[in-house]
Amino acid sequence: MTEGNFVDYVKIHINSGNGGKGSAHLHREKYITKGGPDGGDGGRGGHVVLKGNKNLWTLFHLKFKRHVKAGHGEHGSKQRSSGADGEDQYIEVPLGTVIRDTETQDILHEITEDGQEVVIAEGGKGGLGNWHFKSSTNQTPRYAQPGIPGEEKDITLELKILADVGLVGFPNAGKSTLLSVITAAKPKIADYEFTTLKPNLGIVQYRDFKTFVVADIPGIIEGAAEGKGIGHRFLRHIERNSTLLFLIPADAKDITKQYEILVDELRRYNPEMLDKDRLIAISKSDMLDDELKAELKEELDNAFDVPYMFISSVAQLGLTELKDKLWEMLNKEVE
């Protein structure tokens, strides 16, 4: 999927269908002098339904679909014939989609399972025909109920990628390179900052045909909460990850300081992010000789309160151990 095809935020105006009118028909037939009321009910208006589809990874198919309108219910007719229900409109979305009311920003629903259906706008109820209102004192009611109008609202769809591990790091920390090495993903890689402009997903093939999913988001910089760099726009894609992998390059001026900045930006975005399991990977460690690595290890042992390891995506160093550790962290509750 190309970078421009990744869409994770769309606004849509939706209308459910109006209910059909009930019929006020009076039965007329040769040799039947007083047929009485026989007006049928109106049909229900069509619903607007959101449906989860595991084969979708983006909201791109909805990028240019600004209006969704369900069908109206048909009116009732003679001989107690009910009108047909309006046609429901289905909007298929990827798993992890959050539906908000655009005006209030309240979360209405979340789609997390394949085939899950949520009625986001109910069709109007059809009106009752006049035969419902006949009685001993009102034998020829000449009225029926009108249908109830459908709902009209603006909704916002936000995609939060469902992945097991989220990569967190500064621009050019090597996140995309790591993703390209441990998965079959082919993210854009270059030697300038903010090469990654959209989130990327990759599936790690682990031992015995086991797999887990890794999400790479655009790099965070200090001040992202104030909108610097790309800001916090894509951090929602790692909100559902159970484990966060912090990637810090070995040639960073201050590894501890970089980690503290990243943690602080996550805290400012959503304090609950700090409750997730964390692992630190010191990338580009092939640049370190044994002596430098020993000095750095002594420094980091005193600075970090979370596990860390040295890796190199280019030199393929420590990647097996990294996958082992991630798998252990992801499955620690199961064991």
Side-chain angles (χ1 to χ4, degrees):
M1 180 181 297
T2 62
E3 218 169 55
N5 286 351
F6 184 87
V7 177
D8 61 352
Y9 184 91
V10 294
K11 292 182 178 180
I12 301 177
H13 184 81
I14 59 174
N15 289 86
S16 58
N18 298 331
K21 293 189 297 185
S23 172
H25 187 268
L26 296 175
H27 185 72
R28 291 179 177 84
E29 191 175 343
K30 192 175 182 180
Y31 307 123
I32 300 179
T33 55
K34 295 181 180 180
D38 71 341
D41 303 339
R44 168 185 65 78
H47 299 319
V48 178
V49 184
L50 268 72
K51 184 176 182 179
N53 185 338
K54 66 179 180 181
N55 296 317
L56 294 175
W57 292 88
T58 173
L59 298 171
F60 179 75
H61 62 295
L62 300 174
K63 183 176 181 180
F64 304 106
K65 195 177 183 72
R66 297 303 187 190
H67 298 271
V68 174
K69 193 172 185 178
H72 298 312
E74 294 185 3
H75 304 321
S77 58
K78 60 184 179 180
Q79 297 179 334
R80 299 187 184 181
S81 295
S82 297
D85 291 342
E87 182 182 0
D88 295 336
Q89 283 291 329
Y90 286 84
I91 304 174
E92 294 199 338
V93 295
L95 308 188
T97 300
V98 176
I99 305 102
R100 292 181 183 273
D101 184 300
T102 302
E103 186 176 347
T104 64
Q105 287 301 299
D106 292 336
I107 294 178
L108 304 177
H109 292 284
E110 295 185 36
I111 303 292
T112 56
E113 298 178 8
D114 185 44
Q116 178 184 353
E117 294 185 5
V118 171
V119 177
I120 204 70
E122 291 191 359
K125 188 177 180 181
L128 298 177
N130 64 345
W131 75 275
H132 286 279
F133 305 108
K134 66 181 180 180
S135 67
S136 58
T137 57
N138 185 17
Q139 295 184 358
T140 55
R142 299 177 185 272
Y143 54 84
Q145 286 182 337
I148 297 176
E151 297 182 66
E152 181 177 0
K153 65 176 72 171
D154 291 303
I155 61 170
T156 300
L157 303 181
E158 294 180 359
L159 175 61
K160 293 184 180 182
I161 288 174
L162 297 176
D164 301 304
V165 179
L167 295 180
V168 182
F170 276 63
N172 268 24
K175 301 190 302 299
S176 295
T177 303
L178 175 63
L179 189 72
S180 70
V181 172
I182 64 174
T183 76
K186 294 180 173 57
K188 183 178 179 182
I189 300 171
D191 59 355
Y192 54 85
E193 293 189 349
F194 298 113
T195 310
T196 302
L197 297 176
K198 304 287 184 181
N200 292 301
L201 278 182
I203 299 175
V204 177
Q205 301 289 340
Y206 191 60
R207 296 187 175 97
D208 301 324
F209 305 104
K210 298 171 183 173
T211 61
F212 58 91
V213 180
V214 176
D216 167 30
I217 63 167
I220 305 170
I221 64 172
E222 187 172 12
E226 286 78 42
K228 292 184 180 179
I230 301 182
H232 280 159
R233 179 183 167 194
F234 296 109
L235 281 180
R236 65 172 173 270
H237 293 299
I238 57 173
E239 276 189 288
R240 288 198 172 107
N241 304 158
S242 60
T243 299
L244 298 179
L245 176 60
F246 290 79
L247 216 62
I248 304 174
D251 58 351
K253 290 183 179 179
D254 190 334
I255 292 177
T256 306
K257 180 67 174 176
Q258 277 205 16
Y259 173 69
E260 290 173 352
I261 291 172
L262 291 170
V263 170
D264 186 57
E265 292 298 334
L266 293 183
R267 178 189 57 77
R268 295 169 73 179
Y269 173 75
N270 182 354
E272 293 181 4
M273 299 271 272
L274 302 187
D275 295 334
K276 300 179 182 296
D277 291 335
R278 286 179 255 168
L279 175 64
I280 301 170
I282 311 300
S283 64
K284 307 178 184 179
S285 61
D286 55 311
M287 297 187 300
L288 304 173
D289 57 27
D290 293 339
E291 186 178 345
L292 281 174
K293 190 177 288 187
E295 290 179 11
L296 189 57
K297 191 174 186 305
E298 184 177 349
E299 177 186 334
L300 298 182
D301 283 339
N302 297 322
F304 289 156
D305 56 354
V306 295
Y308 70 91
M309 53 186 21
F310 293 94
I311 67 165
S312 171
S313 303
V314 175
Q316 304 273 309
L317 296 175
L319 299 185
T320 300
E321 292 81 358
L322 176 65
K323 289 190 279 188
D324 288 341
K325 183 62 177 177
L326 289 173
W327 181 260
E328 177 189 333
M329 294 173 71
L330 291 172
N331 293 275
K332 65 178 183 179
E333 295 179 356
V334 178
E335 293 174 355

